Amino acid sequence: MTPDDKRPGVQPHVVVLFGATGDLARRKLLPGLFHLAISRLAPDMRIIGTSLDDIDDDRFRELVIEACRKFSRRPASSEQHERFAQLVSYVPQNKGAGALSSAVQAASATLQGPARLLHYLSVPPAAASAVIRMLETAGLVKESRVIMEKPFGTDLESAQKLNATIHTAFTESQIFRIDHFLGKEPAMNILAFRFANGFIEPIWNRTFIDHVQIDVPERLSIEGRAAFYEPTGAFRDMVVTHLFQVLAFVAMEPPTALAPGPISEEKTKVFRSMLPLNPDNVVRAQYQGYRSEPGVSAESETETFIALKCEIDNWRWAGVPFYLRTGKSMAEGQRIISIAFRDPPRSMFPSDCGVGTRGPDHLTFDLADDSKMSMSFYGKRPGPGMLLDKQSMQFGLKDTADADDVLEAYERLILDAMHGDRTLFTTAQGIERLWELSAPLLDNPPPLHTYEAGSWGPAVINELIEPRTWRLPFERPWRADT
Ligand code: BG6
């Protein structure tokens, strides 16, 4: 991975977007491509949308403009939207491989130089093999790249099958399995913070760290996505993909270089050292009212919430629990990584002076778009005597001069794929290992609890973490000025 201004410009691209009328395409992918196209980042591209919907170019262009207007995070003019819409065209999937191939040729011919092909498969795994066959028949595989969306299977067997199917057409080096959490600016900042500073690595281990929490409660419910969510649930939707990937960034050894090989090697080593999930260390729950959501079965056993403890059995982390939690319809939307440090071995402070009463010292990363970090510690309360308070140092991305340059996770990752940079993408091997670790839980899921929508989950999660406590809800909110 090189700084963007040191990378050669992106080659002209034709992006073939499968699932082009779907939710993800409208919310993230089309607005992301819009930004890449109108900015200097990937100026020369054409987009061919395709999906099962039988619509024409004009209708698709309307949909694209609507999506960009509604979901783009940056202000843009109608003229920019119109200009972008002229870069897109549409081929209904039922028109077949020939139509797609002609559309790609026509789009390539309008570009400034030889075009590179990037296929974006925003389709469910069951549809992936038909799409891959279509690309083969259309002659669109050679020298192309393909971005795959999760879920990468639903268990080890289906993941292996899916990988085998993709590998019939594409080599691993052409495949970019996207996990948008790794494209979030603050997730990459974990790497910067850990490996660009000399002071942190010496204490980043079991001697100094008591436990780690990766906590991603969501206020959103399933937002009409029952067809996807019912067979998926919180574990497959969020943990196997996003939370475990973030955990790997927190736990990995220093890679030999900031490059795809060394980074995936270290991530895979973390997954290799992780102990298989013990169902006794997992709490599954469903929010009350989930079964009445449109499209959800009245007997649904799908979890909309999960909290679990996992362990990494290596020299750095043996005995340090990692607690993960995520769920829908919870009290707040947060994306927190919290590193809790051990207490000092002895205290010279009298027990009634406040020491230790507000939990351990914490280093906190907030993975929200408006990213923040904080270090909390005990310090002296001003005034006579010796009373201690929990104090903190905070850093917010907004404090930097470059806050406006933040790319949305999808923008960043699509751009990386255009550059052929796989550093932030996951590998077949890594994914399969995660399913292997998940097998005991999937084979033997613990009973489903319920929780009130708008809460922090069922009370039993407190037993999971005892004698420690969940960091959220925060005792003190982030300071408003960061
Ligand atoms: C998606 C999940 O991958 O990530 C959604 O399918 C979830 O269920 C979303 O809401 C969370 O992503 P973000 O970037 O909004 O935190």
Side-chain angles (χ1 to χ4, degrees), residues 172-189:
E172 185 65 16
S173 63
Q174 289 175 284
I175 305 167
F176 292 71
R177 289 180 196 75
I178 199 165
D179 186 304
H180 78 278
F181 265 54
L182 297 189
K184 289 179 187 280
E185 193 81 29
M188 284 177 283
N189 209 19

Side-chain angles (χ1 to χ4, degrees), residues 217-449:
E218 294 187 274
R219 200 178 263 151
L220 296 179
S221 70
I222 56 165
E223 309 292 306
R225 296 196 302 158
F228 161 75
Y229 204 81
E230 266 285 88
T232 307
F235 179 71
R236 290 184 173 96
D237 184 33
M238 293 293 287
V239 179
V240 185
T241 47
H242 311 319
L243 271 56
F244 279 159
Q245 294 297 330
V246 170
L247 176 148
F249 271 13
V250 174
M252 73 190 193
E253 296 300 313
T256 51
L258 188 59
I263 297 242
S264 341
E265 236 164 71
E266 295 308 334
K267 277 170 59 193
T268 305
K269 270 158 65 182
V270 172
F271 299 146
R272 233 183 272 141
S273 311
M274 252 167 90
L275 297 179
L277 295 180
N278 177 352
D280 292 343
N281 291 334
V282 178
V283 174
R284 291 170 67 242
Q286 191 182 73
Y287 64 82
Q288 289 154 9
Y290 172 73
R291 291 178 183 178
S292 322
E293 296 271 9
V296 170
S297 147
E299 280 104 52
S300 172
E301 283 289 303
T302 300
E303 80 281 347
T304 60
F305 171 98
I306 188 149
L308 57 91
K309 173 172 108 169
C310 60
E311 290 165 273
I312 302 170
D313 197 16
N314 64 14
W315 278 49
R316 189 186 283 265
W317 295 114
V320 179
F322 283 68
Y323 297 100
L324 276 46
R325 168 171 67 169
T326 184
K328 298 287 186 195
S329 287
M330 292 182 61
E332 285 175 25
Q334 292 270 7
R335 306 174 191 112
I336 293 295
I337 301 174
S338 177
I339 315 286
F341 291 93
R342 288 191 191 283
D343 292 336
R346 287 194 58 76
S347 179
M348 64 182 193
F349 299 98
S351 57
D352 58 359
C353 76
V355 68
T357 49
R358 312 289 293 272
D361 301 337
H362 284 112
L363 177 65
T364 309
F365 295 90
D366 184 346
L367 299 193
D369 300 329
D370 177 17
S371 147
K372 299 182 217 70
M373 275 170 64
S374 106
M375 180 74 228
S376 69
F377 52 88
Y378 287 91
K380 185 188 167 302
R381 185 185 299 177
M386 180 57 98
L387 284 177
L388 301 180
D389 272 336
K390 200 77 184 289
Q391 296 171 344
S392 69
M393 294 187 284
Q394 288 187 13
F395 162 78
L397 198 77
K398 278 207 244 149
D399 303 338
T400 68
D402 307 313
D404 290 344
D405 291 347
V406 171
L407 289 184
E408 272 259 302
Y410 278 101
E411 290 167 3
R412 148 133 219 153
L413 292 171
I414 294 172
L415 185 64
D416 280 0
M418 287 178 165
H419 279 289
D421 185 339
R422 305 174 73 240
T423 313
L424 296 172
F425 293 84
T426 56
T427 60
Q429 197 192 13
I431 298 286
E432 289 177 15
R433 172 64 184 155
L434 288 177
W435 285 120
E436 204 171 88
L437 293 167
S438 309
L441 171 65
L442 298 178
D443 294 346
N444 219 343
L448 192 67
H449 296 266

Side-chain angles (χ1 to χ4, degrees), residues 25 29 44 80 140 188 194 201 267 310 317 376 386 478:
L29 308 180
D44 203 12
Q80 285 174 313
L140 298 176
M188 284 177 283
R194 284 193 57 194
E201 267 313 289
K267 277 170 59 193
C310 60
W317 295 114
S376 69
M386 180 57 98
W478 291 99

